[in-house]
Amino acid sequence: MARFVQHGDTIDYSPVAAATAGTVVVQNDLIGVVMTDIAAGGKGALGVEGVYEIAKAAEAIAVGEKVWWDGANSRVTKTKGQLTVLAGKAVSAAASGDATVNVLLNEGPSA
């Protein structure tokens, strides 16, 4: 048996410490973006679908490439590492000198 809970483009999120809108949050293999400021212990929305402009490493990224969240440096990279989590796929090309890239969150298998 199942019952509808919510649409799934956002999910409920209750941070331990205050979370600012635009902050990238990783929960195991799920990445999301804080939609509006959330007080510590409060409840707010975490966007887990859609396209977000995210800071990136100094590397060129092509449309369709998988990008990984590098939490140590608070940016995406096209290099999968031991401490990275799949963020999604780039939906715009970005040159190595660009500060950001547009990413379709949680799109594609994590392998």
Side-chain angles (χ1 to χ4, degrees):
M1 182 172 124
R3 69 178 180 82
F4 179 80
V5 176
Q6 62 191 67
H7 287 284
D9 54 339
T10 63
I11 59 171
D12 293 337
Y13 177 63
S14 297
V16 174
T20 305
T23 301
V24 174
V25 173
V26 176
Q27 296 177 315
N28 294 308
D29 284 336
L30 180 66
I31 189 167
V33 177
V34 175
M35 302 300 288
T36 59
D37 294 349
I38 308 171
K43 185 190 272 188
L46 193 64
V48 294
E49 289 184 358
V51 177
Y52 291 82
E53 181 182 69
I54 303 178
K56 68 169 207 55
E59 60 192 2
I61 297 175
V63 173
E65 278 193 279
K66 289 180 186 176
V67 291
W68 307 85
W69 179 251
D70 174 1
N73 295 298
S74 298
R75 62 188 184 191
V76 293
T77 176
K78 64 181 184 180
T79 306
K80 180 181 178 183
Q82 284 186 319
L83 301 177
T84 59
V85 174
L86 181 67
K89 291 182 182 173
V91 294
S92 64
S96 61
D98 293 341
T100 62
V101 64
N102 291 338
V103 177
L104 180 58
L105 290 186
N106 298 308
E107 182 63 29
S110 60

